[in-house]
Amino acid sequence: PIVFRGPNGCAAGVAAQHSQCFAAWYGHCPGLKVISPYDSEDCKGLLKAAVRDHDPVVFLENELMYGTTFEIEDQVMEDNFLLPIGKAKVMKQGKDITLVSHSIGVGFCMGAAELLAKEGISAEVINLRSIRPLDIDTVNQSVMKTNHLITVEGGFPMFGVGAEVCAQVIEGPAFHYLDAPVIRCTGVDVPMPYAKSLEVRATPQAEDVVKAVKKVLNR
């Protein structure tokens, strides 16, 4: 039992060697548990759970989130607060489309959901929290309700986390509930650029998620 903790994903002008997402790399390995937290609640509850776990755990944090503050419930500050590894969280309820993401991508989805709400589109946002094990049951339940799915991640499209989510949905009970093909909103399939302005364009932002939603819903 050991925990490997470190920064992961898009940063700010540090190029390909320091700004790519390794969630899919580690998630590919049997025997590893892979955590990708979004907010303060995730970081505290899941890191403590990882330390107590009997298996090796890779704990992937996005360095752009360091210093970001979140409102939390009182129970999060309790010494015995833990979160279960392998359980996703529905960050926002919706009825028109499901947005599935992890880490900083959850923030992009929440921003997109706010923009979409102004146009009468209700998006449900799921924070995976855990890459392996993957809580596909929560995703399936949401898809059965909304009938549409978009995955959002900063990683590359080929063999990514979104690809795995799509595959499991297609192979599972939610497939026949889909009214449109699943879309993966990912980083661009190129080595991460060094320039900060290009890095932003190479990773999905809230506006990109909005465009993907409108494509799926034919809006």
Side-chain angles (χ1 to χ4, degrees):
I2 187 172
V3 179
F4 298 92
R5 171 179 173 249
N8 178 69
C10 58
V14 289
Q17 287 72 34
H18 300 280
S19 207
Q20 69 187 76
C21 179
F22 288 95
W25 286 44
Y26 291 121
H28 182 69
C29 301
L32 283 182
K33 291 181 178 177
V34 184
I35 309 299
S36 185
Y38 166 58
D39 56 15
S40 304
E41 176 182 321
D42 291 354
C43 287
K44 180 178 181 180
L46 290 170
L47 185 58
K48 293 184 71 171
V51 171
R52 287 160 175 73
D53 200 270
H54 295 294
D55 294 314
V57 181
V58 177
F59 200 87
L60 303 174
E61 305 167 346
N62 187 276
E63 67 178 82
L64 291 179
M65 302 297 293
Y66 292 157
T68 304
T69 58
F70 293 91
E71 291 186 6
I72 57 174
E73 298 180 2
D74 292 340
Q75 63 177 0
V76 178
M77 297 302 297
E78 296 176 0
D79 291 340
N80 60 351
F81 178 77
L82 295 171
L83 289 173
I85 295 176
K87 181 61 179 175
K89 178 183 179 181
V90 179
M91 304 290 292
K92 179 184 177 300
Q93 297 283 344
K95 60 182 180 62
D96 295 325
I97 192 165
T98 298
L99 305 178
V100 175
S101 190
H102 64 96
S103 188
I104 195 173
V106 177
F108 298 148
C109 289
M110 294 295 286
E114 291 183 10
L115 296 173
L116 292 166
K118 297 177 182 178
E119 301 185 37
I121 300 174
S122 174
E124 182 152 298
V125 179
I126 295 179
N127 172 11
L128 287 176
R129 286 180 164 173
S130 173
I131 305 302
R132 187 174 185 130
L134 184 68
D135 183 8
I136 200 64
D137 290 339
T138 295
V139 176
N140 281 332
Q141 291 169 9
S142 179
V143 171
M144 290 177 183
K145 178 175 65 173
T146 68
N147 309 115
H148 300 91
L149 172 63
I150 290 177
T151 64
V152 180
E153 63 184 310
F156 305 124
M158 294 287 287
F159 315 107
V161 174
E164 178 62 27
V165 172
C166 292
Q168 292 201 30
V169 168
I170 289 171
E171 294 170 349
F175 173 70
H176 294 290
Y177 287 80
L178 287 169
D179 289 340
V182 180
I183 285 183
R184 291 173 292 156
C185 188
T186 71
V188 180
D189 196 27
V190 298
M192 182 64 73
Y194 176 77
K196 185 177 179 181
S197 58
L198 293 178
E199 184 178 76
V200 172
R201 297 184 64 182
T203 53
Q205 307 295 315
E207 294 77 11
D208 301 310
V209 179
V210 169
K211 292 178 182 178
V213 169
K214 291 183 177 181
K215 180 179 180 180
V216 170
L217 298 179
N218 292 319
R219 297 289 184 95

